Amino acid sequence: MTSPLSPRLLRAGLVVLDPDSGRSRRVITLQYNPDSLTRGFQLKTAGAEGGARGEALRITGPPVQTLTLEADLDAADQLTDPEAVELGLTAQLAALESLAYPSLAAVQDAAALLAAGTLEVVPPPAPLVLLAFGRRRLWPVRITELTITEEAFDPMLNPIRAKIRLGLRVLTVNDVGTDGRAGGLAMAAHQQLEQLAGRARGGRLADLGIDRLP
């Protein structure tokens, strides 16, 4: 039995928000937290080769940050849920897959406009996706890659064990501006980063074998 003094285990997951109102549409919780999270940064600086003197120290905007995570799903741990017994992991995987598609209503509306002679149909904004990786790391993201490997099936061919690989790009003010729900989330993530950096324990020059700077 779990002790009441045991810390609550937080789950990583995705929050799907309405792009206009910012209300939560769906929360997709990862069944098991990933063993690793790979983050890459492409810096944006003004000091390119051949640039003007003095520009090398200028940062023109937030970096392009990409995230890659892998997670496991197993229906065997959900056998107390009647839906899991009936569908296996089909519904959970569909919730993830749906993030890669426009809504059916949007597809039907676009088809109707084209049939009516509209020359250019602007697609509606997709839902805003937020990656929650603990309380202090909430990133607005765009899904760039989704790979699903189904590894075992029940007699009805419902997947009962699967691995997912998610590629994400963190959205910054360069992508969404500073206004609206997306802009507010991007600014909040930037603010949280600076607050965490401010809590890092600093070192001393002597730790680096330096008596004084030139």
Side-chain angles (χ1 to χ4, degrees):
M1 184 172 68
T2 303
S3 168
L5 299 179
S6 299
R8 180 186 175 190
L9 176 63
L10 297 182
R11 297 292 187 192
L14 301 172
V15 183
V16 184
L17 304 173
D18 183 275
D20 297 319
S21 67
R23 292 181 179 177
S24 174
R25 289 184 178 178
R26 175 181 290 159
V27 176
I28 301 175
T29 305
L30 298 181
Q31 186 177 358
Y32 309 109
N33 283 333
D35 290 329
S36 65
L37 173 67
T38 302
R39 301 195 289 144
F41 298 83
Q42 181 182 347
L43 276 61
K44 293 194 173 184
T45 61
E49 290 293 330
R53 183 179 301 175
E55 293 296 305
L57 300 180
R58 297 186 188 276
I59 298 177
T60 60
V64 175
Q65 181 180 178
T66 55
L67 310 173
T68 303
L69 61 86
E70 297 180 355
D72 297 325
L73 299 176
D74 195 329
D77 286 354
Q78 305 176 47
L79 294 181
T80 56
D81 183 352
E83 188 171 85
V85 175
E86 178 188 358
L87 299 175
L89 298 173
T90 305
Q92 289 175 266
L93 295 177
L96 284 168
E97 289 177 60
S98 67
L99 299 179
Y101 286 80
S103 69
L104 181 59
V107 173
Q108 292 171 332
D109 290 344
L113 289 171
L114 289 172
T118 304
L119 296 179
E120 183 178 359
V121 177
V122 178
L128 175 62
V129 179
L130 184 69
L131 173 65
F133 212 89
R135 294 189 181 96
R136 294 184 176 89
R137 295 203 289 181
L138 303 174
W139 293 297
V141 296
R142 183 178 69 218
I143 296 176
T144 58
E145 176 193 351
L146 173 60
T147 303
I148 299 173
T149 304
E150 300 176 3
E151 297 185 328
F153 304 87
D154 66 13
M156 300 301 295
L157 288 181
N158 293 309
I160 56 175
R161 192 169 65 245
K163 293 182 180 292
I164 61 170
R165 176 185 171 90
L166 268 175
L168 307 165
R169 171 174 166 168
V170 177
L171 300 177
T172 69
V173 294
N174 282 348
D175 305 300
V176 296
T178 58
D179 298 326
R181 185 60 167 155
L185 289 169
M187 293 288 285
H190 195 158
Q191 181 183 44
Q192 186 67 74
L193 172 68
E194 293 192 348
Q195 290 175 347
L196 287 172
R199 296 177 62 176
R201 181 177 298 178
R204 301 171 302 170
L205 288 177
D207 298 333
L208 308 178
I210 301 173
D211 295 327
R212 61 176 181 172
L213 295 175

